[in-house]
Structures are given as C-alpha cells and as structure tokens.
Amino acid sequence: MPNVANLPNVGDRLYDEALYEAAKIIFAFISNWAKLACTLVKLKQFQGAVDAARKANSSKTWKEVCFACVDAEEFRLAQICGLNIIVQVDDLEEVSEYYQNRGCFNELISLMESGLGLERAHMGIFTELGVLYARYRYEKLMEHIKLFSTRLNIPKLIRACDEQQHWKELTYLYIQYDEFDNAATTVMNHSPEAWDHMQFKDIVVKVANVELYYKAVHFYLQEHPELINDVLNVLALRVDHTRVVDIMRKAGHLRLVKPYMVAVQSNNVSAVNEALNEIYVEEEDYDRLRESIDFHDNFDQIGLAQKIEKHELLEMRRVAAYIYKKAGRWKQSIALSKKDNLYKDAMETASQSGDRELAEELLVYFIDQGKKECFASCLFVCYDLIRADVALELAWMNNMIDFAFPYLLQFIREYTGKVDELIKDKIESLNVEKAKENEEKDIIKQQNMYAQLLPLALPAPPMPGMGSAGMGGGFNAPPPPMGGMGMPPMPPFGMPPMGSY
C-alpha cells in the first residue's frame, strides 16, 4: 500500500537480522536486484538468485551467486554465473582459484570450455584452460595448444608445462614462441618424452647458440647413433667438420659417420680427408683410397704413404708408390714399384719425372735383372728421356740389340722426319725468296714500259691577261725547247722520231 517508509533501510535491517523472507519482499518491491540475489542465496533459492543477478548485471553480484552455487554444488547454475564473470580478465583468476580450492576441477574445466565459444572470449580464457589441462587433464593439452596456439599467453603456459613436466608440449610451445635454443635443450634433456627426429632436425638448424650443434652430435651418438648421419647432413653447412671428426674419433666411432664425411669431403678439409683415408686403409678399399687421394689432396700425403708402404696388401703398397709419385718423390716411388715387381708403374713414374738419369738407371736395372721385355718397354715408355747412344750401347754390350731395334727404328724414323721437315722448310723458304725476287723484277719492267709509253710533255697554256712584256713575247710566241723551264731533257731511250721505216 502507498506509504512514506524508507524501504531500502528497512530491507537492510531485515537482511542483517536474518529475516530473509521479509527482506526478499521489500528488495523485490523496490527492484534492488543485487540485494535480492543475495537474499535468495541465503534462502537457498539459487535459481531465483541467478535470475536476480542477471537483472542486477553486476560482477560482484555474479561472483556472490556463483560462489554460493559452487558451495551448494549447484554447478549448472554456477556455470551460468561463471560465464558472465570470466569474460572479465580481472575476475577470471579469482573464479579459477575458488573452484580449484574446493576441488571442483572438472566443473571448472567445463566452465572454461563453455567460455571458449563466448563472443567476448579473450586470451585469458584460452590460457587458463590450457593451464587446467596441464594440471588435471593432460591428454587434451597438446590438442588445445595446436588448435589455439595464436590465442594463448605462451609464456604463462610454458611455466605451467614446465612445472607439470609436460616436455613434449613444452617443446612445441618453445617452437611456437621462436625459442629454438630452449626447445632443443628440452628435447635433449627429456628425450624419452620430447624427442621426435623430424621435429628435432627442424629445431636444431634454427638455434642461435652454436654449441648446441655439438651437443646434438653427442646426444645422437649416445641415444640414436643410427640417425646421426641424417642430423649431421642437416648441420653440414653450420658445423666445423674438424671438430665433428674429433668428437667421433675420441668416442671411437669414426666409421659411424663415414657417409657424412663422404658427403662433405668436397670441402677438402684435412681432418675429413685423413679420417676417410684411415677408414679406407682399415677396410682395404684401395679403389676408394686412390679416388680420395686424386680429388682431395689436403692431407699428410707422406705420412699416409709411409703408413701403407709396408701394408700386406699389394694394392695398398701400390697406392703408397702412387702417393710418392704425386708428391714428387720419384726415387722412392720407383724403388717401391721395383720391390713389388710393378715394372709398368716404375716406367710410368720415370717417364713422368722428366729425369733422364732415373730413366737410364731403370734401363740398367732391367738389364741386371735380365728383363729383356721390360728393357724394350722402358725404351718405349721413356722414349723422350733416353739418349739413343746410351740405349744402343747398353743393348750392344748386353746382347739385347734385338730388343732395342723398335726403339732405334722409331728414333731413326723420327729424326729422318725432322730432317725432311727442315729440308722442306728450307726449300719453301728459297722458293718464297725466289718468287719475291721475280715479283720485284716484274714490277721494275712494268715501270719501264709505262715510262716508254708516256707522250711528249706539252707546254702549259699562257695565263689569260698576261702581256708580252711580262713573258717576253705575245700569245703566239713559240714554245721553249724541251729541257728549258726546269724540265729535264728527254732520255736517249725516249720515243723514236717519227719517220719512215
């Protein structure tokens, strides 16, 4: 009924004295929805409290009703209230802590999941849900991170994953946050959970700390040696090959990275060359050893030759002689070839040396050994170095003239050809000179003929306007005789006089 009472004051007094039914009537009458919601909570009328809170639309009211519903385990109504609270960044953490302190983890997760679809959903909701997954529902964490990686507060979630020791998810977050050094370190420190070969290859090439390259080499050597060549090939352009070889040598697993060293040998690094040559020697792979020596010369050549010159395998000793030859140690190479009866190699080495003394000493050696065929072959291979008189003398004195005949025939043919060429060149030179002389004579004859055919020179006509005083006569003055006016007289072999025959 109409009255002049101070109803708000009366309602507050009733509420303070726990006369909630009476307070409810007054607060409803005066539309004080915030007070009405609190009163309905006291009366355990939670549905009405939620409706009143909706009309009040106050964050404080929503929280009071929400927390009361949680305490009363009215989680459906609590979620309705919570959805209106968590859209405020400042109130989100308070709601989360209230739920967690009372052990309502699943209900809190359900609230956050519902909040993802809100129009006013913000980064805090996505991040808080990720933290809750990390703590209470680990199996959903990775999916959540991948779906909403752009809407997460990654540093906060990184701390949560680190605390809960979710290494795989932590690695993924580091990658998303471009902290590749931390990602690589996490993988290597917690490999049973975090390691994935393809992912690690993508990470390790992006790290800023160079030392992590070599830690990765140690890591693969200890835990995944079968994949070490793959990761080294990825790092080939970034690591110091010498240091990698030293690591593998100290670990005693040099052969393990043979494919990697073969791939990078084109850089001609001394440590790589020596390591591969060492492996080829152990494997007695002389073909690959010779190929390595031919194309990659940055290694201790003499040291390798000394190491294998007494090798039990003939082909290895042959490679040693080849190395000496490449190094210009002709005598050592020839001596080693002679020791193993590799006479062809000895001849080729003597020929390439360009040393006449070595070639002739080799001839003497073949004579001493009674190797007549080798004597003939050496004359052919070292043809440019051996003097004909020496070859003929040795052959005659040792009764090998028949074996020297191919050489002598070739020598005679060559020098005969040279003499023929000289004679030919001389004849051609004489012919050229003779032709030149004939040409000069022809030119002189033509000049003389031209001079005989020239007509008699006539005087120049007088210049107009010139009188007799100036020239000593008129226009009709007779011409001066030939030989006057500076003209030379006609030669005696000039034109014959015009007369009868």
Side-chain angles (χ1 to χ4, degrees):
M1 296 177 66
N3 59 79
V4 292
N6 187 351
L7 294 181
N9 189 28
V10 172
D12 290 339
R13 288 179 59 190
L14 291 171
Y15 183 86
D16 293 338
E17 294 180 14
L19 300 173
Y20 300 121
E21 286 290 351
K24 169 186 169 183
I25 296 171
I26 291 180
F27 289 142
F29 183 76
I30 63 175
S31 300
N32 189 340
W33 308 116
K35 286 288 187 177
L36 178 60
C38 296
T39 303
L40 292 173
V41 165
K42 296 295 185 179
L43 294 172
K44 307 298 183 182
Q45 297 176 14
F46 297 108
Q47 181 63 59
V50 171
D51 294 337
R54 184 177 291 111
K55 294 177 181 179
N57 197 23
S58 163
S59 177
K60 179 181 178 182
T61 305
W62 279 122
K63 283 193 285 186
E64 289 181 5
V65 176
C66 178
F67 296 160
C69 291
V70 170
D71 292 338
E73 297 185 358
E74 292 286 346
F75 295 113
R76 183 184 65 82
L77 297 174
Q79 181 170 314
I80 295 173
C81 299
L83 290 174
N84 289 279
I85 303 171
I86 62 175
V87 293
Q88 303 295 330
V89 178
D90 297 335
D91 297 326
L92 173 63
E93 191 171 344
E94 183 181 354
V95 173
S96 178
E97 288 181 0
Y98 196 89
Y99 270 84
Q100 291 182 71
N101 290 339
R102 284 151 182 78
C104 304
F105 310 122
N106 293 331
E107 290 77 12
L108 177 58
I109 290 173
S110 177
L111 169 62
M112 295 298 173
E113 288 175 343
S114 298
L116 297 182
L118 294 175
E119 185 178 344
R120 296 169 61 192
H122 51 80
M123 181 181 288
I125 298 176
F126 292 91
T127 305
E128 188 65 27
L129 181 57
V131 173
L132 294 173
Y133 281 152
R135 292 176 179 171
Y136 310 116
R137 201 169 291 176
Y138 162 70
E139 65 278 2
K140 285 191 172 185
L141 177 58
M142 181 59 83
E143 180 184 3
H144 178 73
I145 293 173
K146 289 182 177 179
L147 284 175
F148 304 110
S149 59
T150 59
R151 305 192 67 177
L152 296 171
N153 183 344
I154 292 181
K156 181 177 181 180
L157 197 51
I158 283 176
R159 290 192 294 272
C161 290
D162 193 15
E163 290 172 1
Q164 301 300 318
Q165 299 184 358
H166 299 319
W167 309 120
K168 187 175 182 179
E169 290 75 9
L170 180 59
T171 301
Y172 186 85
L173 288 170
Y174 278 136
I175 295 172
Q176 296 300 311
Y177 206 52
D178 292 341
E179 291 191 6
F180 298 106
D181 289 34
N182 288 334
T185 303
T186 302
V187 170
M188 290 187 284
N189 291 341
H190 307 284
S191 58
E193 291 184 21
W195 177 78
D196 176 83
H197 180 57
M198 299 305 295
Q199 183 189 61
F200 186 78
K201 286 199 301 181
D202 293 337
I203 295 170
V204 75
V205 296
K206 298 176 182 177
V207 299
N209 185 358
V210 177
E211 289 300 315
L212 288 175
Y213 297 150
Y214 306 104
K215 288 184 180 179
V217 174
H218 282 291
F219 167 72
Y220 269 81
L221 181 60
Q222 294 172 0
E223 299 195 16
H224 306 284
E226 73 282 1
L227 296 172
I228 192 169
N229 285 290
D230 195 16
V231 77
L232 280 173
N233 288 334
V234 171
L235 295 173
L237 298 177
R238 296 170 173 82
V239 295
D240 179 0
H241 304 307
T242 302
R243 185 170 175 182
V244 172
V245 170
D246 289 342
I247 291 172
M248 301 307 297
R249 191 185 293 279
K250 289 178 182 178
H253 296 293
L254 199 56
R255 286 192 187 184
L256 193 62
V257 293
K258 178 182 173 183
Y260 155 75
M261 291 191 291
V262 171
V264 301
Q265 194 179 14
S266 57
N267 296 314
N268 204 20
V269 177
S270 175
V272 175
N273 293 337
E274 292 182 357
L276 274 176
N277 293 340
E278 180 181 328
I279 292 173
Y280 293 146
V281 170
E282 291 176 1
E283 295 177 349
E284 298 183 349
D285 190 350
Y286 48 84
D287 289 332
R288 296 298 298 275
L289 179 59
R290 184 182 284 265
E291 181 182 337
S292 174
I293 292 167
D294 280 338
F295 294 105
H296 311 99
D297 57 356
N298 185 14
F299 65 96
D300 182 7
Q301 299 186 10
I302 303 305
L304 178 60
Q306 292 174 345
K307 180 179 178 181
I308 63 175
E309 66 179 355
K310 296 181 180 179
H311 198 281
E312 60 183 10
L313 193 65
L314 173 62
E315 287 295 335
M316 283 296 176
R317 299 196 297 273
R318 190 178 182 187
V319 172
Y322 179 69
I323 295 173
Y324 282 133
K325 180 173 72 172
K326 283 178 65 70
R329 297 197 175 189
W330 312 107
K331 288 186 177 180
Q332 286 177 275
S333 178
I334 292 173
L336 198 56
S337 297
K338 290 192 296 187
K339 183 178 178 181
D340 289 324
N341 299 329
L342 298 171
Y343 300 129
K344 180 182 177 183
D345 291 353
M347 295 176 206
E348 291 176 351
T349 302
S351 176
Q352 292 178 22
S353 71
D355 190 331
R356 175 173 292 169
E357 183 180 348
L358 281 178
E360 293 177 351
E361 284 179 1
L362 189 58
L363 271 183
V364 174
Y365 171 79
F366 288 137
I367 291 172
D368 293 341
Q369 297 295 317
K371 304 289 184 180
K372 298 181 179 181
E373 294 81 2
C374 293
F375 176 80
S377 298
C378 188
L379 287 174
F380 173 75
V381 174
C382 302
Y383 176 81
D384 295 331
L385 300 177
I386 296 173
R387 293 169 291 183
D389 58 327
V390 174
L392 188 58
E393 179 184 357
L394 290 173
W396 177 65
M397 290 179 65
N398 293 280
N399 208 18
M400 292 185 182
I401 200 70
D402 291 345
F403 292 91
F405 246 92
Y407 166 81
L408 293 174
L409 291 174
Q410 177 66 24
F411 180 82
I412 293 170
R413 181 69 186 87
E414 182 182 352
Y415 274 82
T416 302
K418 289 180 180 179
V419 171
D420 291 344
E421 287 292 328
L422 290 173
I423 294 173
K424 184 180 177 181
D425 291 344
K426 182 65 175 176
I427 292 173
E428 289 178 355
S429 178
L430 291 173
N431 290 337
V432 170
E433 290 180 3
K434 188 175 181 181
K436 189 175 180 182
E437 290 177 1
N438 292 336
E439 184 179 351
E440 290 176 354
K441 289 179 180 179
D442 290 342
I443 292 172
I444 293 173
K445 286 181 180 180
Q446 290 176 3
Q447 289 175 348
N448 290 337
M449 290 294 293
Y450 179 72
Q452 291 175 6
L453 295 174
L454 282 174
L456 292 174
L458 297 176
M463 296 296 290
M466 295 182 65
S468 59
M471 295 297 292
F475 290 104
N476 296 321
M482 297 301 291
M485 298 187 70
M487 292 281 292
M490 291 293 289
F493 53 83
M495 291 185 67
M498 300 298 289
S500 60
Y501 292 99

